[in-house]
Amino acid sequence: MDTARTVVALRAKIRAWRAAGDKIAMVPTMGALHPGHLSLVEIGKRRAHRVVASIFVNPKQFGATEDLGRYPRQEARDAELLRGAGCDLLFLPPVEAVYPAGYATTVSVGGLDRPMEGASRPGHFDGVATVVTKLLLMAFPDVAIFGEKDWQQLAIIRRLAIDLNIPAEIVGAPILRESDGLAMSSRNAYLSPQQRAVAGALFHTLQAAASTISGGASVPDTLSAARAALESAGFRVDYLQLADEASLQPVSGPVAGARLFVAAKLGTTRLIDNLPVMPR
Ligand code: PAF
């Protein structure tokens, strides 16, 4: 696996592959890799000849009170994992390569950035949309793969790729889960052993609520019972809502495209998850 730290080096490598007729997949990450990320590389390998992964802890997507400083950075370990997964090129730009002096442009995806994560994390999706647009324009991949755990992020990236005529196919990758159902996330490392022991309840409560709603029960009653169950397990629930998977607007029942979304904190660690709700 090669490493590129500049856009010039990244493009030189990709240009050579393209000249040989290769199709390119990109897996943007912020590092602190887990098997969920490696499954994105695996999907990339199935869809293209070459896989480029990027690791860039994007300062623009962290709020003033968020965890940019303590976000785990483990470059050597991540590089080994990517090499083992069959990644061809690791793009590791320093902050100045992404946001050079005088940088002034923000990509903002109106509407989709408002509900759920957007309501609790103002400016977060502008940071995500800006860096993902830049990464896609730096590498010009044929395919780019993002995890479905961050469903709202995926919806926003699909929208910006269409709106800005970015010719990459945006592919969502299924959520990988720990044995107790907890969705894999770099932030799970922040959980204390006690918090980790209860964290699986997030998925199980979501799953039970999704199946109750599919069975025709009242959505408000089901969601308030699920919220109460999570609070009594020690979570502070930020949102728990049924919404359309594309527009992210609330829906009132188990219609096609309905999805249940949750964000809840255990201590200071914010966990998110989502599940489809099958129509009756
Ligand atoms: O999901 C992530 O890891 C990040 O939000 C992304 C897409 C790499 C942009 O920084």
Side-chain angles (χ1 to χ4, degrees), residues 52-255:
V52 181
S54 61
I55 297 181
F56 178 65
V57 183
N58 174 32
K60 288 196 187 292
Q61 68 187 79
F62 288 80
T65 59
E66 292 184 345
D67 54 355
L68 174 62
R70 71 166 186 152
Y71 198 84
R73 283 153 172 94
Q74 38 199 44
E75 196 177 297
R77 175 189 167 276
D78 287 347
E80 266 324 297
L81 289 171
L82 289 169
R83 191 191 317 278
C87 178
D88 298 284
L89 176 63
L90 171 56
F91 180 45
L92 267 175
V95 174
E96 324 75 76
V98 180
Y99 303 120
Y103 186 85
T105 301
T106 297
V107 178
S108 193
V109 178
L112 291 175
D113 66 348
R114 289 293 151 82
M116 300 192 288
E117 290 303 286
S120 307
R121 305 180 68 190
H124 168 69
F125 285 123
D126 281 2
V128 170
T130 301
V131 80
V132 170
T133 301
K134 288 198 57 119
L135 291 167
L136 295 177
L137 294 178
M138 287 170 181
F140 265 105
D142 299 281
V143 182
I145 303 126
F146 299 85
E148 290 183 349
K149 180 178 71 67
D150 297 295
W151 187 277
Q152 186 171 8
Q153 166 174 285
L154 178 61
I156 284 172
I157 293 168
R158 287 193 203 283
R159 186 74 253 165
L160 75 81
I162 293 168
D163 290 354
L164 300 178
N165 302 98
I166 295 176
E169 184 189 355
I170 306 299
V171 172
I175 300 174
L176 249 60
R177 298 185 179 280
E178 304 289 353
S179 56
D180 65 350
L182 177 65
M184 289 187 185
S185 164
S186 306
R187 290 199 163 92
N188 295 351
Y190 299 153
L191 296 169
S192 69
Q194 292 81 354
Q195 291 166 343
R196 180 64 195 84
V198 298
L202 190 65
F203 170 65
H204 292 291
T205 309
L206 198 64
Q207 200 180 32
S211 126
T212 308
I213 292 170
S214 287
S218 144
V219 174
D221 291 353
T222 306
L223 295 187
S224 62
R227 183 180 272 265
L230 287 171
E231 303 269 353
S232 72
F235 291 89
R236 271 181 300 122
V237 178
D238 179 357
Y239 59 80
L240 172 61
Q241 75 182 60
L242 189 66
D244 176 72
E245 63 181 18
S247 71
L248 308 179
Q249 290 305 303
V251 292
S252 56
V255 293

